């Protein structure tokens, strides 16, 4: 039975255990799934870790100590083989208490129990053998799960980041939209602010009317002294300019009219305050000057120092009135004129009594000193007075020059009324010249100091209204008065003196030149020259006879001895010298031409008287004096040309040179055909001379000088060549003898006399040269006639005759 049970039990085992799971050994795993190098490394690592594995729990006792039952050898058993049954050693005793799950709870009695137990042990062994793989798989699975979880978290984070990016982009778009809307709002706000500012800026020009009206409605005139008054006027002026350029604004014309009324009201207050203050000051000063014990210094203090101390608070107000009156002459010009009138009336009432007293004192002293001292002292007083008045006027005003000079001229009239009759009745030409000298000296000083004072430039006109009342600044306007033109005040007296000087000079020329009666001593020529010493010349030398003006010519005349001149020439030069610096060029030219003409006529008359004694002396006398007149005529011509064109400093080359030799040559160019062409070639001058404004006087002098020179040349030549004339019946030898004697005696005396009259050797040589030419020409005619008669063998040749004549000069 037992045997029968065993097969049954054996058959029942598979039914109990079920169909066995096919098991794959390690070799098959390696064959079916070969590992890579990384996988082999992983297996090696797992193997090394499994070798250090702890003792399984089934081999441990309940108290944790290792069980006495030996473990199944792992290293010697092939994977998948059934483990062998553990053997019991004799003497070992099973534990009564089964603690390990693999321990049978009851002793094994049957085969089936053994197979059951063995199957359980076999499963435990198989399970134990794959424990490290399962642990690795579990670790890998846990890591894979962790990675999957990490991936899922990354995915969720990525999703959230994407959502955040989308949300950020939405926020950014919304921010841009908001920024654009804000910028639009800001632009609209700026436009509104600009509009508001523009409206406010334009309204400032309208609202200023209220402030100006309120200030101008304050009672009294002292409002003009407040700090804001001038600034208010400046703002009103700016408002007027603005409204003038923006008449299209609503009610602009009405506001413009009211602003003009404010400006007129402000300037009227300035005028009233100035006039009233000036009246009070003038009354006080006049009262103090009425005291008898007031000294001159005290009067000067009252008249000027008091007024100057009174000017600082008024000067800005008057400057503003002047500036506004220039801008609005129709409305405010009358106010400024009233201020000027009030000022001049006040000053006139104070100055005139003192001025009249000083003029009377000067008039009393002039009876003892003369008109020159009166002019000098009176002009000095007027200069000081006008300078003080001018400086004081500038302390108050900067314009009104015409009114000021009218006032100063009225003051000067008090002296002129006393000085003018004395000038008109003065008979001395020298005194009148000294009066003109004094007046012209003062006028020259006035011109020298004309540009010393410079005015401050006014700042640029404001273009917009400034309502900063804390520090108002009032522009300083440029002053129109620079310095006192004293010449303008002295011009009237100078004209009177010049007029009297002109008429007196005319009277002197008529009485002492035209109607001069010569004395016997005036006609004693050449005795008058012989009596003079040779140390001082009586005529100009050639180097002094250059083309200069009359001033230089008169200066050179003063360095020579005028006593050797005929009195009419001396008086003519003296009168013209005195008139030259004090009369206008056009007037001086007229009287100079008249004087030269009358002097020439008197010289011709004197030469005729001298010719009664000696014809040769009369001609030389006329040549001598006419050369001086010709110098005067050329100097007058140059002076007039310079006056007509001040930019020209020298005359044209074809004009007269002014020297005596050139003057004589210029005369000889106008001679008739009686003079040979050799005259012109020797003098190297053209035959036609250029005319000038003094044509008549110069032509008269040239004509007389030409005739006198021709007479001198003819006299000298005829005196020696008379015996050589064809009309004589003497023989050639007698004629030659007579010519030689006269050439040795008469000709040297005539040459010496010519040098005595003309003084300058070069000038005398010019005449002597033409005398020699005339004599050589006459000798040439004589020689030809002698040769024609057959008697000219011993007659000199023309060249030898020229040599002999030249040796006798």
């Amino acid at each position: 039975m037992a045997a029968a049970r065993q097969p049954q039990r054996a058959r029942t085992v598979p039914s109990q255990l079920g169909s066995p799971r096919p098991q794959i050994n390690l070799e098959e795993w390696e064959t079916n799934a070969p590992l890579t190098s990384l996988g082999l490394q992983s297996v090696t690592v797992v193997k090394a870790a499994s070798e250090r594995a702890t003792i399984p729990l089934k081999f441990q006792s309940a108290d944790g100590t290792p069980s006495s039952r030996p473990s199944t050898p792992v290293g010697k058993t092939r994977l998948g083989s059934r483990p062998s049954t553990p053997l019991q050693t004799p003497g070992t005793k099973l534990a009564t208490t089964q603690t390990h799950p693999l321990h049978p709870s009851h002793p094994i009695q049957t085969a089936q129990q053994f197979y059951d137990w063995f199957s359980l042990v076999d499963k435990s062994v198989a399970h134990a053998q794959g424990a490290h793989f399962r642990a690795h798989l579990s670790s890998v699975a846990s890591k894979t799960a962790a990675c999957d979880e990490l991936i899922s978290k990354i995915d969720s984070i990525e999703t959230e980041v994407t959502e955040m990016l989308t949300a950020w982009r939405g926020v950014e778009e919304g921010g841009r939209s908001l920024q654009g809307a804000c910028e639009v709002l800001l632009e609209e706000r700026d436009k509104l602010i600009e509009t508001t500012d523009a409206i406010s800026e334009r309204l400032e020009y309208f609202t200023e009317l209220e402030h100006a009206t309120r200030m101008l409605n304050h009672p009294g005139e002292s409002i003009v002294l407040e700090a804001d008054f001038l600034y208010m006027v400046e703002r009103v002026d700016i408002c007027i300019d603005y409204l003038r350029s923006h008449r299209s604004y609503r009610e602009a014309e009405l506001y413009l009219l009211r602003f003009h009324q404010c400006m007129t009201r402000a300037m009227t207050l300035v005028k009233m305050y100035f006039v009233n203050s000036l009246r009070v000051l003038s009354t006080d000063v006049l009262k103090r000057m009425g005291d008898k014990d007031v000294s001159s210094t005290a009067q000067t203090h009252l008249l000027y120092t008091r007024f100057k101390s009174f000017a600082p608070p008024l000067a800005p107000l008057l400057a503003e009135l002047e500036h506004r009156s220039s801008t609005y002459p129709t409305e405010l010009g009358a106010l400024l004129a009233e201020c000027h009138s009030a000022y001049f009336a006040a000053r006139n009432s104070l100055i005139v009594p003192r001025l009249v007293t000083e003029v009377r004192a000067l008039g009393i002293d002039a009876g003892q000193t003369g008109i020159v001292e009166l002019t000098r002292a009176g002009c000095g007083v007027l200069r000081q007075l006008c300078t003080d008045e001018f400086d004081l006027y500038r302390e108050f005003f900067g314009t009104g020059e015409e009114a000021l000079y009218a006032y100063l001229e009225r003051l000067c009239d008090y002296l002129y009324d006393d000085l003018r009759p004395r000038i008109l009745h003065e008979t001395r030409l020298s005194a009148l010249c000294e009066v003109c000298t004094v007046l012209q000296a003062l006028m020259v000083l006035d011109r020298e100091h004309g540009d010393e004072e410079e005015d401050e430039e006014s700042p640029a006109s404001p273009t917009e209204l400034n309502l900063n009342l804390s520090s108002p600044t009032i522009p300083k306007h440029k002053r129109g008065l620079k310095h006192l033109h004293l010449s303008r005040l002295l011009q009237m007296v100078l004209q009177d003196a010049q007029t009297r000087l002109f008429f007196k000079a005319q009277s002197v020329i008529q009485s002492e030149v035209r109607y001069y009666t010569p004395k016997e001593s005036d006609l004693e020529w050449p005795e008058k020259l012989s009596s003079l010493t040779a140390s001082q010349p009586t005529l100009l030398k050639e180097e002094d006879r250059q083309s200069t003006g009359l001033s230089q010519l008169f200066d050179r005349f003063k360095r020579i001895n005028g006593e050797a001149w005929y009195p009419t020439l001396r008086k003519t030069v003296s009168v013209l010298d005195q008139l030259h610096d004090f009369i206008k060029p056009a007037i001086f030219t007229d009287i100079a031409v008249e004087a030269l003409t009358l002097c020439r006529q008197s010289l011709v008359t004197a030469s005729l008287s001298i010719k009664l004694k000696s014809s040769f002396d009369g001609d030389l006398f006329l040549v001598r004096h006419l050369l001086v007149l010709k110098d005067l005529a050329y100097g007058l011509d140059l002076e007039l040309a310079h006056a007509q064109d001040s930019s020209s400093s020298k005359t044209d080359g074809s004009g007269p040179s002014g020297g005596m030799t050139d003057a004589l040559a210029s005369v000889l160019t106008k001679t008739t055909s009686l003079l040979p062409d050799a005259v012109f070639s020797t003098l190297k001058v053209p035959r036609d001379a250029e005319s000038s404004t003094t044509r008549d006087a110069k032509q008269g002098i040239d004509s007389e000088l030409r005739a006198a020179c021709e007479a001198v040349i003819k006299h000298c030549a005829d005196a020696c060549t008379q015996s050589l004339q064809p009309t004589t019946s003497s023989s050639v030898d007698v004629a030659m003898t007579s010519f030689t004697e006269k050439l040795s005696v008469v000709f040297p005396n005539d040459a010496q006399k010519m040098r005595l009259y003309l003084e300058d050797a070069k000038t005398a040589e010019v005449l002597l040269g033409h005398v020699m030419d005339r004599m050589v020409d006459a000798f040439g005619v004589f020689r030809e006639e002698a040769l024609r008669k057959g008697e000219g063998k011993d007659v000199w040749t023309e060249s030898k005759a020229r040599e002999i004549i030249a040796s006798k000069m």
Side-chain angles (χ1 to χ4, degrees):
M1 291 198 51
R5 291 176 181 172
Q6 288 180 355
Q8 184 178 5
R9 186 176 296 172
R11 289 192 295 271
T12 59
V13 171
S15 61
Q16 293 177 356
L17 295 176
S19 59
R21 181 181 300 175
Q23 298 196 3
I24 302 174
N25 55 20
L26 183 60
E27 287 78 2
E28 294 175 349
W29 276 100
E30 292 178 353
T31 301
N32 296 329
L35 299 176
T36 62
S37 60
L38 181 60
L40 292 176
Q41 292 178 1
S42 301
V43 171
T44 302
V45 174
V46 172
K47 182 178 179 181
S50 64
E51 290 178 353
R52 295 191 298 273
T54 58
I55 300 175
L57 293 178
K58 66 180 182 178
F59 296 106
Q60 293 182 358
S61 59
D63 55 359
T65 59
S67 174
S68 60
R69 185 177 178 179
S71 62
T72 303
V74 177
K76 298 179 180 181
T77 305
R78 292 182 62 186
L79 185 63
S81 63
R82 294 175 63 91
S84 61
T85 304
L87 300 180
Q88 284 185 339
T89 60
T92 58
K93 192 180 289 187
L94 295 171
T96 58
T97 304
Q98 189 67 28
T99 59
H100 196 274
L102 294 178
H103 288 180
S105 58
H106 299 286
I108 300 173
Q109 294 177 358
T110 63
Q112 187 65 36
Q113 291 178 348
F114 176 77
Y115 282 122
D116 293 337
W117 176 79
F118 182 79
S119 177
L120 181 62
V121 171
D122 186 39
K123 293 180 178 180
S124 175
V125 171
H127 184 275
Q129 287 180 351
H132 61 281
F133 292 107
R134 289 191 298 276
H136 179 66
L137 289 174
S138 176
S139 174
V140 172
S142 62
K143 293 181 179 179
T144 301
C147 289
D148 293 339
E149 183 180 1
L150 182 60
I151 289 172
S152 63
K153 290 182 179 180
I154 290 174
D155 292 339
S156 63
I157 291 173
E158 185 178 3
T159 303
E160 292 179 358
V161 170
T162 302
E163 293 176 356
M164 291 175 62
L165 181 59
T166 303
W168 177 80
R169 289 176 179 172
V171 171
E172 185 178 8
E173 292 295 332
R176 290 177 181 175
S177 301
L178 180 61
Q179 182 182 2
C182 292
E183 289 177 354
V184 172
L185 291 176
L186 287 175
E187 290 179 359
E188 293 178 355
R189 188 202 66 174
D190 293 340
K191 290 181 179 179
L192 291 175
I193 292 175
E194 290 178 359
T195 304
T196 303
D197 292 341
I199 293 174
S200 300
E201 181 180 355
R202 288 163 175 77
L203 284 177
E204 287 177 352
Y205 295 96
F206 292 89
T207 56
E208 181 62 24
L209 179 62
E210 181 181 357
H211 175 265
T213 304
R214 186 170 57 254
M215 176 175 286
L216 293 174
N217 287 336
H218 288 177
E221 303 168 0
S222 59
I223 185 67
V224 298
L225 298 178
E226 292 188 4
D228 294 340
F229 177 78
L230 293 180
Y231 187 61
M232 179 272 297
V233 173
E234 185 70 22
R235 289 177 298 176
V236 168
D237 185 58
I238 295 174
C239 292
I240 291 175
D241 291 339
Y242 182 81
L243 291 177
R244 279 181 173 177
S245 58
H246 299 83
R247 293 180 179 269
S248 60
Y249 288 176
R250 185 177 181 181
E251 297 183 356
E253 295 295 336
L254 177 60
Y255 274 85
L256 183 60
L257 177 61
R258 297 188 63 184
F259 274 122
H260 275 294
Q261 292 175 351
C262 290
M263 178 64 72
T264 304
R265 170 64 177 167
M267 295 300 101
T268 303
L269 290 176
V270 171
K271 187 265 297 184
M272 294 175 61
Y273 181 77
F274 171 73
V275 172
N276 293 335
S277 301
L278 188 63
R279 184 183 299 110
V280 173
L281 178 62
S282 300
T283 302
D284 182 63
V285 171
L286 188 61
K287 181 180 178 181
R288 292 177 178 270
M289 290 183 64
D291 298 338
K292 296 182 179 180
D293 55 349
V294 179
S295 62
S296 177
T297 304
Q299 289 182 1
T300 303
H301 171 75
L302 291 173
L303 290 174
Y304 296 103
T305 308
R306 283 285 305 277
F307 275 82
K308 287 183 179 181
S309 63
F310 183 66
L314 292 175
L317 301 175
L318 295 174
E320 192 69 24
L321 176 57
E322 290 174 334
H323 176 62
R324 301 307 167 193
S325 63
S326 63
T327 307
Y328 313 104
T330 305
E331 297 86 351
L332 305 179
L335 297 178
L336 181 60
E338 291 180 14
C339 292
H340 288 163
S341 300
Y343 175 82
F344 292 135
R347 295 300 302 173
N348 191 75
S349 63
L350 297 174
I351 294 297
V352 168
R354 185 186 183 191
L355 178 60
V356 170
T357 303
E358 293 183 357
V359 169
R360 288 177 180 174
L362 291 175
I364 296 174
D365 296 337
Q368 302 175 355
T369 57
I371 188 174
V372 178
E373 293 300 326
L374 174 62
T375 304
R376 183 179 289 106
C379 290
V381 171
L382 284 184
R383 180 184 181 186
Q384 185 63 42
L385 175 63
C386 293
T387 301
D388 293 339
E389 289 296 315
F390 183 85
D391 293 339
L392 181 61
Y393 181 82
R394 288 190 63 190
E395 295 291 331
F396 292 91
F397 300 98
T399 58
E401 183 174 3
E402 294 299 328
L404 173 61
Y405 279 102
Y407 162 70
L408 295 178
E409 288 175 0
R410 289 195 299 270
L411 295 181
C412 294
D413 286 341
Y414 289 96
L415 174 64
Y416 297 164
D417 292 341
D418 184 77
L419 184 60
R420 186 178 295 111
R422 299 174 186 268
I423 292 177
L424 297 179
H425 291 84
E426 179 61 43
T427 58
R428 295 174 299 166
L429 195 64
S430 59
L432 293 175
C433 292
E434 291 183 12
V435 169
C436 293
T437 302
V438 171
L439 296 175
Q440 287 185 346
L442 293 175
M443 297 172 72
V444 169
L445 292 176
D446 177 47
R447 287 194 296 269
E448 290 178 353
H449 298 285
D451 298 330
E452 291 182 355
E453 299 180 2
E454 296 294 337
D455 297 329
E456 298 180 358
E457 296 184 359
S458 60
S461 301
T463 57
E464 61 181 20
L465 181 62
N466 181 11
L467 295 178
N468 183 13
L469 302 181
S470 59
S471 58
T473 56
I474 304 301
K476 295 180 179 179
H477 305 291
K478 186 175 181 180
R479 295 264 174 175
L481 299 175
K482 294 183 178 180
H483 67 282
L484 175 63
H485 297 282
L486 190 62
S487 58
R488 181 173 176 178
L489 303 175
L490 298 177
Q491 189 65 32
M492 185 181 301
V493 179
L494 180 61
Q495 289 178 355
D496 292 339
Q498 289 175 342
T499 302
R500 176 57 180 166
L501 181 62
F502 173 78
F503 288 112
K504 181 60 180 177
Q506 278 190 327
S507 175
V508 170
I509 291 174
Q510 292 290 329
S511 61
E512 301 187 25
V513 175
R514 182 177 184 179
Y515 299 108
Y516 178 75
T517 302
K519 304 174 183 178
E520 290 188 13
S521 60
D522 297 334
L523 302 177
E524 294 177 354
W525 292 81
E527 292 81 3
K528 184 181 288 293
L529 294 176
S530 302
S531 62
L532 297 176
T533 59
S535 60
Q536 188 175 6
T538 60
L539 292 177
L540 295 178
K541 295 182 179 180
E542 178 60 27
E543 56 269 17
D544 294 333
R545 296 178 179 275
Q546 303 298 327
S547 56
T548 57
L550 285 178
S551 299
Q552 294 83 353
L553 188 62
F554 287 138
D555 291 339
R556 292 168 185 172
F557 280 155
K558 293 176 182 178
R559 295 195 294 268
I560 63 178
N561 187 3
E563 295 296 328
W565 291 353
Y566 190 65
T568 57
L569 176 62
R570 186 165 58 247
K571 180 57 69 174
T572 300
V573 172
S574 175
V575 171
L576 294 181
D577 183 16
Q578 294 177 356
L579 292 180
H580 173 254
D581 295 328
F582 307 113
I583 295 181
K584 294 181 179 180
I587 301 176
F588 176 78
T589 301
D590 294 339
I591 192 172
V593 170
E594 179 185 359
L596 291 178
T597 303
L598 295 178
C599 182
R600 175 181 59 81
Q601 294 174 358
S602 67
L603 292 175
V604 172
T605 302
S607 67
L608 294 176
S609 300
I610 297 174
K611 284 181 180 181
L612 297 176
K613 297 187 298 181
S614 172
S615 176
F616 188 54
D617 289 329
D619 292 332
L620 288 177
F621 166 86
L622 190 58
V623 170
R624 170 188 173 89
H625 289 82
L626 288 180
L627 287 175
V628 178
L629 280 186
K630 192 167 186 64
D631 287 339
L632 287 174
Y634 282 137
L636 178 63
D637 193 15
L638 293 176
E639 189 79 8
L640 185 59
H642 179 74
Q644 293 175 351
D645 186 7
S646 59
S647 62
S648 176
S649 60
K650 55 184 179 180
T651 59
D652 189 86
S654 62
S657 61
M660 179 178 284
T661 303
D662 296 330
L664 183 60
S666 176
V667 171
L668 295 179
T669 57
K670 300 178 182 180
T671 56
T672 61
S673 58
L674 295 176
L675 292 179
D677 293 337
V679 173
F680 305 106
S681 60
T682 303
L683 297 175
K684 298 179 181 180
V685 293
R687 294 181 64 93
D688 54 339
E690 187 176 339
S691 61
S692 66
T693 57
T694 58
R695 181 191 305 268
D696 295 338
K698 289 174 60 178
Q699 285 182 351
I701 296 174
D702 291 343
S703 176
E704 295 293 344
L705 183 58
R706 183 169 57 247
C709 291
E710 173 66 19
V712 170
I713 294 172
K714 186 177 184 305
H715 177 274
C716 292
D718 292 348
C720 297
T721 61
Q722 185 176 5
S723 61
L724 302 178
Q725 299 297 326
T727 57
T728 58
S729 59
S730 60
S731 63
V732 174
D733 295 335
V734 174
M736 284 292 300
T737 302
S738 176
F739 174 72
T740 304
E741 291 178 355
K742 292 181 179 180
L743 193 63
S744 300
V745 179
V746 177
F747 184 62
N749 294 332
D750 291 344
Q752 183 179 2
K753 185 174 289 188
M754 290 174 62
R755 291 188 179 93
L756 176 64
Y757 273 93
L758 301 180
E759 289 190 4
D760 186 65
K762 187 176 181 180
T763 305
E765 292 297 330
V766 172
L767 283 177
L768 290 175
H770 293 292
V771 170
M772 181 176 63
D773 293 339
R774 181 72 64 86
M775 294 171 64
V776 171
D777 292 341
F779 189 82
V781 173
F782 169 75
R783 186 171 183 277
E784 291 178 359
E785 184 67 20
L787 290 176
R788 187 177 62 82
K789 294 179 180 180
E791 300 177 358
K793 296 181 180 180
D794 297 333
V795 179
W796 304 331
T797 62
E798 293 184 8
S799 58
K800 183 177 180 181
R802 183 178 296 275
E803 293 178 0
I804 294 175
I805 295 172
S807 64
K808 301 300 181 179
M809 293 171 55

